[in-house]
Amino acid sequence: MSAPFDRLIGQSQAVALLRRAVDLQRIAPGYLFVGPDGTGKALAAKGFAQLLLQPGPDVSAEAAVVLARRIGDRNHPDLLWVEPTYQHQGQLLTPAQAAEVGLKRKSPPRVRLPQIREIARFLSRPALESPRAVVVIEQAERMAEAAANALLKTLEEPGRASVVLLAPAQQALLPALISRA
């Protein structure tokens, strides 16, 4: 069995802080994982999600492997993984979906207001299999201003949930978002 953070290299202090928060049941509503590409932000988010979504402290090795796979596949009912999208003909397309349909854009994809509304809906219901829900927002620096402002309210009252923002640097985000994570 692989532990949640086995593949994460060079982040032992961050891992210790996250483990301690879970062990002490002092889990914040928002977390900000920053660093350049390749520093393991997404791996850390997956590992943290695995800790948060465990149904209890005594999880069998087999159940932990299944949980890790479901998180990796983004196929867990209590996990919402959000990535920037393009808007095309009234639909939001991830970069992979845009490439599949041959859509080429000059501007980068954005995290949009409808996605933040989806997060609010997701967090308005109780977790189905886990003690809490987890939302991960990739490339949070690409969040449109209206979307960032809408996310503020969700971060203030997320219920039994945690929102993890992934970004290359703190300066790339609204100061109000930083203060809540």
Side-chain angles (χ1 to χ4, degrees), residues 3-12 14-15 18 33 38-45 47-48:
F5 298 104
D6 277 357
R7 295 181 48 216
L8 189 62
I9 298 169
Q11 301 293 339
S12 57
V15 168
L18 294 172
F33 294 0
T39 55
K41 295 181 300 287
L43 278 176
F48 192 44

Coordinates of all heavy atoms in Angstrom, one line a residue, residues 3-12 14-15 18 33 38-45 47-48:
A3 N 1.3 5.2 1.0 CA 0.8 6.2 1.9 C 0.4 7.4 1.1 O 1.0 7.6 0.0 CB 1.8 6.5 3.0
P4 N -0.4 8.3 1.6 CA -0.9 9.4 0.8 C 0.1 10.3 0.1 O 0.0 10.8 -1.0 CB -1.8 10.2 1.7 CG -2.2 9.2 2.8 CD -1.1 8.2 2.8
F5 N 1.3 10.5 0.8 CA 2.3 11.4 0.3 C 3.5 10.7 -0.2 O 4.6 11.4 -0.3 CB 2.6 12.4 1.4 CG 1.4 13.3 1.8 CD1 0.8 13.0 3.0 CD2 1.0 14.3 1.0 CE1 -0.3 13.8 3.4 CE2 -0.1 15.1 1.4 CZ -0.7 14.9 2.6
D6 N 3.5 9.4 -0.4 CA 4.7 8.7 -0.8 C 5.4 9.3 -2.0 O 6.6 9.3 -2.1 CB 4.4 7.2 -1.0 CG 4.4 6.4 0.2 OD1 4.7 7.0 1.3 OD2 4.1 5.2 0.2
R7 N 4.7 9.7 -3.0 CA 5.3 10.2 -4.2 C 5.7 11.7 -4.2 O 6.3 12.2 -5.1 CB 4.3 10.0 -5.4 CG 4.0 8.5 -5.7 CD 3.1 8.3 -6.8 NE 3.4 9.0 -8.0 CZ 2.5 9.5 -8.8 NH1 1.2 9.4 -8.6 NH2 2.9 10.2 -9.9
L8 N 5.4 12.3 -3.1 CA 5.8 13.7 -2.9 C 7.2 13.9 -2.3 O 7.5 13.3 -1.3 CB 4.8 14.4 -2.0 CG 4.8 15.9 -1.9 CD1 4.6 16.6 -3.2 CD2 3.8 16.4 -0.9
I9 N 8.1 14.6 -3.1 CA 9.5 14.7 -2.7 C 9.8 16.1 -2.2 O 9.4 17.1 -2.8 CB 10.4 14.3 -3.9 CG1 10.1 12.9 -4.3 CG2 11.8 14.5 -3.5 CD1 10.8 12.5 -5.6
G10 N 10.5 16.2 -1.1 CA 11.0 17.5 -0.6 C 10.0 18.4 0.1 O 10.3 19.6 0.2
Q11 N 8.9 17.8 0.5 CA 7.9 18.6 1.2 C 7.6 18.1 2.6 O 6.4 18.2 3.0 CB 6.6 18.7 0.3 CG 6.9 19.3 -1.1 CD 7.2 20.7 -1.1 OE1 7.0 21.5 -0.1 NE2 7.8 21.2 -2.1
S12 N 8.6 17.6 3.3 CA 8.3 16.9 4.6 C 7.7 17.8 5.6 O 6.8 17.4 6.4 CB 9.6 16.3 5.1 OG 10.6 17.3 5.3
A14 N 5.7 20.5 5.0 CA 4.3 20.7 4.6 C 3.4 19.5 4.9 O 2.3 19.6 5.4 CB 4.2 21.0 3.1
V15 N 4.0 18.3 4.6 CA 3.3 17.0 4.9 C 3.0 16.9 6.4 O 1.9 16.5 6.8 CB 4.0 15.8 4.3 CG1 3.5 14.5 4.8 CG2 4.0 15.9 2.8
L18 N 0.1 19.1 7.4 CA -1.2 18.6 7.0 C -1.6 17.4 7.8 O -2.8 17.3 8.2 CB -1.1 18.3 5.5 CG -0.9 19.5 4.5 CD1 -0.7 19.0 3.1 CD2 -2.0 20.4 4.6
F33 N -1.8 25.9 -1.8 CA -0.5 25.2 -2.1 C 0.1 26.0 -3.2 O -0.5 26.1 -4.3 CB -0.8 23.8 -2.6 CG -1.4 22.8 -1.5 CD1 -1.6 23.3 -0.2 CD2 -1.6 21.5 -1.8 CE1 -2.1 22.4 0.7 CE2 -2.1 20.7 -0.9 CZ -2.4 21.1 0.4
G38 N 5.8 21.6 -11.2 CA 6.8 20.5 -10.9 C 7.1 20.4 -9.4 O 7.9 19.5 -9.0
T39 N 6.6 21.3 -8.5 CA 6.9 21.2 -7.1 C 6.0 20.2 -6.3 O 6.2 20.0 -5.1 CB 6.9 22.6 -6.4 OG1 5.6 23.2 -6.6 CG2 8.0 23.4 -7.0
G40 N 5.0 19.7 -7.0 CA 4.2 18.7 -6.3 C 2.9 19.2 -5.7 O 2.3 18.5 -4.9
K41 N 2.4 20.3 -6.2 CA 1.2 20.9 -5.6 C 0.0 19.9 -5.8 O -0.8 19.6 -4.9 CB 0.8 22.2 -6.3 CG 1.8 23.3 -6.0 CD 1.4 24.6 -6.7 CE 1.3 24.6 -8.2 NZ 2.5 24.5 -8.9
A42 N -0.2 19.4 -7.0 CA -1.3 18.4 -7.3 C -1.1 17.1 -6.6 O -2.1 16.6 -6.0 CB -1.4 18.2 -8.8
L43 N 0.1 16.6 -6.5 CA 0.4 15.4 -5.7 C 0.1 15.6 -4.2 O -0.5 14.8 -3.6 CB 1.9 15.0 -5.8 CG 2.3 14.2 -7.0 CD1 3.8 14.0 -7.0 CD2 1.5 12.9 -7.1
A44 N 0.4 16.8 -3.7 CA 0.1 17.1 -2.3 C -1.4 17.2 -2.1 O -1.9 16.8 -1.1 CB 0.8 18.5 -1.9
A45 N -2.1 17.8 -3.1 CA -3.5 17.9 -3.0 C -4.2 16.6 -3.0 O -5.1 16.3 -2.2 CB -4.1 18.8 -4.1
G47 N -2.8 13.7 -2.0 CA -2.5 13.1 -0.7 C -3.3 13.6 0.4 O -3.8 12.9 1.2
F48 N -3.5 15.0 0.4 CA -4.3 15.6 1.4 C -5.8 15.2 1.3 O -6.4 14.9 2.3 CB -4.1 17.1 1.4 CG -4.7 17.8 2.5 CD1 -4.5 17.4 3.8 CD2 -5.4 19.0 2.4 CE1 -5.0 18.1 4.9 CE2 -6.0 19.7 3.4 CZ -5.7 19.3 4.7

